[in-house]
Amino acid sequence: MSDPQRPRASLRTAVVWDVLEDALDRRVKATGKDSLDVLDTGGGSGNFAVPVARLGHRVTVVDPSPNALFALERRAGEAGVADRVRGVQGDVHGLFDVVERGGYDVVLCHGVLEYVDDPAEGVRNAVEALRPAGALSLLAAGLGGAVLARALAGHFTEARHALTDPAGRWGEGDPVPRRFTVEQLTEVVEAAGVEVGAVHGVRVFADLVPGVLVDTEPGALDALLRLEAAAAELSAFHSVATQLHVLGEKRG
């Protein structure tokens, strides 16, 4: 049965969360530990860190924003997991100024590569923070989703510009500094020493469906969530996803 109070924001995280929760379970079984050490680079106010901590894991969040870290502390306290969540100010380029190398079972790098000067270095640092066979969860903006969205909005010149722009931007007013294709992301991840296990398209349909339809049509949100989950692993839809999620394991 559809829950009318279920936040539409779940469309943005449902697919990634399901994949991540499964990856955490696999690491628990592989390591024999009940509680994993998890690093969330660019984790902000704890959209993923707090739910991960609720599962019983220890989470360190590295973020450059003091305001985000303050919100993280408050959120973790309200969720009753303040003892398992630690926030430190920093970024992925200076990661080892604030955390140790090889100290984590799982590293999240969500919404970071779009904004850093050197995405390859950012991924290398994230991987260096992992223990052998540790899991990397990488989420970044997809090029195809932006092109499709601009075209459907009637901005055909901007859509074409995004296709040919090296950073995948549709113009000066584009709020996202960089976008990626699946090939670009998997290449940089593999070069950093990670064996790619799965690629998922995130928000394949969600950003294209009118909000009023999802909010008012009975059962529409749950049906859309199921559709997103079904399409996420199909490579045919990766090229039009708003975001791309790569899950991999650090080579021994």
Side-chain angles (χ1 to χ4, degrees):
M1 182 180 294
S2 176
D3 178 1
Q5 300 303 316
R6 192 172 191 174
R8 192 165 186 257
S10 62
L11 285 167
R12 296 180 176 272
T13 60
V15 167
V16 178
W17 175 250
D18 287 347
V19 174
L20 179 60
E21 190 171 15
D22 184 58
L24 289 165
D25 287 343
R26 289 199 304 272
R27 290 312 302 152
V28 165
K29 292 173 183 175
T31 60
K33 299 190 297 186
D34 293 331
S35 182
L36 301 174
D37 294 306
V38 180
L39 174 64
D40 189 353
T41 65
S45 60
N47 286 342
F48 282 93
V50 169
V52 168
R54 278 187 181 138
L55 295 176
H57 305 301
R58 297 176 294 273
V59 188
T60 298
V61 175
V62 176
D63 197 278
S65 168
N67 290 337
L69 293 174
F70 178 77
L72 168 70
E73 184 179 359
R74 183 176 66 246
R75 190 174 192 169
E78 291 171 352
V81 294
D83 59 326
R84 293 196 293 274
V85 176
R86 179 174 73 102
V88 291
Q89 190 171 359
D91 60 40
V92 73
H93 283 317
L95 192 59
F96 302 115
D97 293 335
V98 292
V99 302
E100 64 176 307
R101 296 177 190 270
Y104 298 90
D105 301 294
V106 179
V107 171
L108 316 186
C109 188
H110 296 172
V112 172
L113 298 190
E114 299 93 325
Y115 301 96
V116 298
D117 293 333
D118 187 344
E121 182 192 5
V123 173
R124 285 195 300 271
N125 285 351
V127 174
E128 284 186 33
L130 281 169
R131 291 170 178 147
L136 173 70
S137 175
L138 180 70
L139 183 69
L143 172 62
V147 173
L148 186 61
R150 299 317 287 172
L152 290 178
H155 303 300
F156 307 120
T157 299
E158 291 179 349
R160 184 173 179 276
H161 187 278
L163 272 176
T164 57
D165 183 65
R169 304 184 75 230
W170 48 255
E172 290 299 321
D174 192 337
V176 179
R178 187 183 289 106
R179 295 185 178 87
F180 302 87
T181 64
V182 169
E183 292 75 18
Q184 289 171 330
L185 283 181
T186 54
E187 182 179 329
V188 74
V189 166
E190 289 173 345
V194 168
E195 188 72 33
V196 174
V199 177
H200 298 86
V202 180
R203 286 155 55 195
V204 175
F205 308 103
D207 292 346
L208 305 176
V209 176
V212 65
L213 173 64
V214 177
D215 295 335
T216 61
E217 187 72 19
L221 176 58
D222 284 340
L224 181 54
L225 283 166
R226 290 194 294 271
L227 177 61
E228 288 281 355
E233 291 190 45
L234 301 178
S235 59
F237 293 99
H238 293 168
S239 59
V240 294
T242 299
Q243 292 179 310
L244 297 168
H245 181 246
V246 177
L247 183 71
E249 183 176 293
K250 184 176 182 178
R251 298 190 188 100

